[in-house]
Amino acid sequence: MKKITLFLLFAAVIACKNQPAEDGKSASAFSISETVFGKIDSTTITEYTLTNPAGMKVSILNYGGTVTKIITKDKAGKDGDVILGFDSLSGYLQKGNPYFGCLVGRYANRIAKGNFTLDGKTYQLAINNGANALHGGLKGYDKVIWKVQKLTGDSSLQFTYHSPDGEEGYPGNVDATVIYSLTAANELKIEYAAKTDKATPINLTNHCYFNLSAGTDTTIEQHELQLSANEYTPVDTGLIPTGKLAPVKGTPMDFTSAKLIGKDLPQVLGGYDHNWVLNKKGNALAKIGTLYHAASGRYVDVFTTEPGIQFYSGNFLDGTLTNTKAGKKYVQHAGLCLETQHFPNSPNEPSFPNTILKPDETYHHATVYQFGVR
Ligand code: GLA
């Protein structure tokens, strides 16, 4: 009996899968396509494009696990690409690429003086941001080639990278896995996992620069942001947290209710580039914020398992990048990042949530960007 029910269910699923839609295409339209994006030495750089039945598209490179395009509809049903990026591989390889769309690791954000002590041993990381280490060093996970595997179901790609012991000064061999999925509900889901053979700091994130106007607005000042965070981590002039948590209430850092980014931006010296302490407790996936652009109607809801988010308002963009999409000038604040993560400099701040991964543990992080219109 059970077998028959299962068989009927299976037959129904197959029938449903093969049913032609009115336009003659299959009703179930998840797909993954591949195009050659260029070459680094003898390695082919491939751009993979995930498409869901609603027609949303996400493109990703094996170079840096870099998201090159996110194509979503506006409220009039018109497709647009909602992230900044380049039109070619040479764009991504240029000096000063500000981490467009890439995966960031082994430790996203800053570690003061690139220095930390673990089990009585002091480690010195590569210094690449003033006096500090930023985003995994000179050649972080954003600048390496990941192995890519299509997962069954045509909606997910698995990226793996083996980071050797001592890479950029970090202890331990790390095996990192990132699964990018595009769901029927217009969610870009990013699931991170890592194992190590020696205790090491781990903090992985993605560095997409959103501009939901899809090329219409030159800056993100007309975007509204809401973040479920009553506190943030104040920083020194090198953007290293002081170690204290400060309330956002009554300050330009307050995004507890949706607010136009341009409203208080001029009051923040250098622009927003801070870590917000999310109100959520524990490591369950929870909704922590929304970015909304009224003119296009596009919004993105952000869900994460992480305790923090770096909201960076594209302060260092200065219009000088070349090979940009459609030759656009990416001026200051042309895009913004919502980097779900642990707090910066955690290895040196015992009061911050732990970022040290031990050999008997597995690092997990999931973040979902769900797109819609209203
Ligand atoms: C992060 C940092 C910024 C900047 C960008 C890359 O978001 O917090 O200060 O370094 O990356 O340009």
Side-chain angles (χ1 to χ4, degrees):
M1 191 62 189
K2 230 182 177 174
K3 262 191 186 158
I4 293 175
T5 319
L6 264 181
F7 172 75
L8 286 178
L9 193 69
F10 181 68
V13 168
I14 294 293
C16 191
K17 252 200 138 172
N18 294 334
Q19 212 173 36
E22 274 166 27
D23 62 2
K25 286 187 203 142
S26 167
S28 164
F30 276 110
S31 68
I32 302 177
S33 62
E34 285 178 38
T35 55
V36 173
F37 202 68
K39 255 187 187 241
I40 295 180
D41 302 325
S42 57
T43 309
T44 300
I45 303 305
T46 304
E47 185 180 57
Y48 298 84
T49 299
L50 301 165
T51 303
N52 77 358
M56 181 175 158
K57 288 181 193 291
V58 176
S59 301
I60 312 161
L61 303 179
N62 51 345
Y63 175 69
T66 302
V67 181
T68 52
K69 297 181 195 92
I70 299 181
I71 299 185
T72 68
K73 297 198 188 310
D74 67 8
K75 63 183 171 192
K78 194 171 162 249
D79 280 332
D81 186 353
V82 298
I83 58 169
L84 307 190
F86 301 106
D87 65 1
S88 59
L89 184 59
S90 43
Y92 287 93
L93 296 178
Q94 75 189 273
K95 197 166 173 266
N97 165 5
Y99 299 87
F100 277 175
C102 59
L103 294 174
V104 187
R106 186 179 295 197
Y107 195 94
N109 217 311
R110 293 170 176 80
I111 294 181
K113 301 191 169 63
N115 203 276
F116 59 91
T117 303
L118 244 182
D119 300 330
K121 200 171 162 199
T122 297
Y123 293 92
Q124 182 59 54
L125 305 174
I127 299 297
N128 62 336
N129 188 252
N132 305 315
L134 174 71
H135 291 339
L138 298 167
K139 190 175 178 188
Y141 292 6
D142 58 298
K143 294 180 186 67
V144 300
I145 296 167
W146 293 64
K147 275 198 191 115
V148 183
Q149 205 186 327
K150 285 186 197 178
L151 299 183
T152 49
D154 269 358
S155 59
S156 301
L157 290 167
Q158 177 175 279
F159 289 66
T160 49
Y161 174 62
H162 175 80
S163 168
D165 189 5
E167 188 178 44
E168 299 293 317
Y170 288 95
N173 287 289
V174 164
D175 284 293
T177 303
V178 179
I179 299 176
Y180 279 109
S181 306
L182 175 61
T183 74
N186 292 339
E187 297 161 311
L188 171 60
K189 196 195 277 180
I190 315 176
E191 292 161 289
Y192 306 81
K195 291 291 280 177
T196 184
D197 61 1
K198 274 186 203 160
T200 187
I202 293 265
N203 191 27
L204 305 180
T205 195
N206 175 275
H207 212 286
C208 277
Y209 283 69
F210 297 102
N211 182 327
L212 301 180
S213 77
T216 310
D217 294 5
T218 46
T219 77
I220 44 69
E221 279 145 295
Q222 290 304 309
H223 284 56
E224 273 176 27
L225 180 66
Q226 181 271 322
L227 292 175
S228 301
N230 296 339
E231 293 176 314
Y232 75 107
T233 50
V235 287
D236 67 15
T237 50
L239 297 175
I240 298 292
T242 60
K244 300 210 169 69
L245 309 186
V248 297
K249 208 175 156 95
T251 78
M253 312 308 274
D254 191 351
F255 286 95
T256 49
S257 302
K259 178 174 79 179
L260 274 183
I261 291 172
K263 182 170 175 278
D264 296 336
L265 180 61
Q267 294 178 50
V268 184
L269 192 68
Y272 293 106
D273 194 357
H274 298 79
N275 168 66
W276 271 255
V277 178
L278 298 172
N279 295 340
K280 70 191 273 296
K281 298 280 173 258
N283 55 9
L285 187 72
K287 184 172 162 192
I288 56 93
T290 300
L291 179 69
Y292 173 58
H293 177 251
S296 66
R298 288 193 185 92
Y299 69 86
V300 54
D301 285 334
V302 184
F303 302 74
T304 193
T305 55
E306 294 300 278
I309 189 168
Q310 183 87 4
F311 160 40
Y312 168 57
S313 55
N315 313 328
F316 301 118
L317 299 174
D318 60 3
T320 56
L321 292 167
T322 60
N323 298 87
T324 56
K325 289 177 184 173
K328 275 247 173 313
K329 263 211 179 336
Y330 291 143
V331 297
Q332 190 177 41
H333 312 312
L336 68 95
C337 303
L338 296 170
E339 306 158 54
T340 50
Q341 55 168 16
H342 270 65
F343 306 171
N345 200 32
S346 296
N348 293 308
E349 291 292 351
S351 66
F352 287 179
N354 173 54
T355 53
I356 305 302
L357 182 72
K358 298 202 177 113
D360 55 343
E361 300 168 339
T362 304
Y363 166 90
H364 286 293
H365 161 188
T367 288
V368 177
Y369 297 102
Q370 183 169 33
F371 294 85
V373 285
R374 61 171 138 97

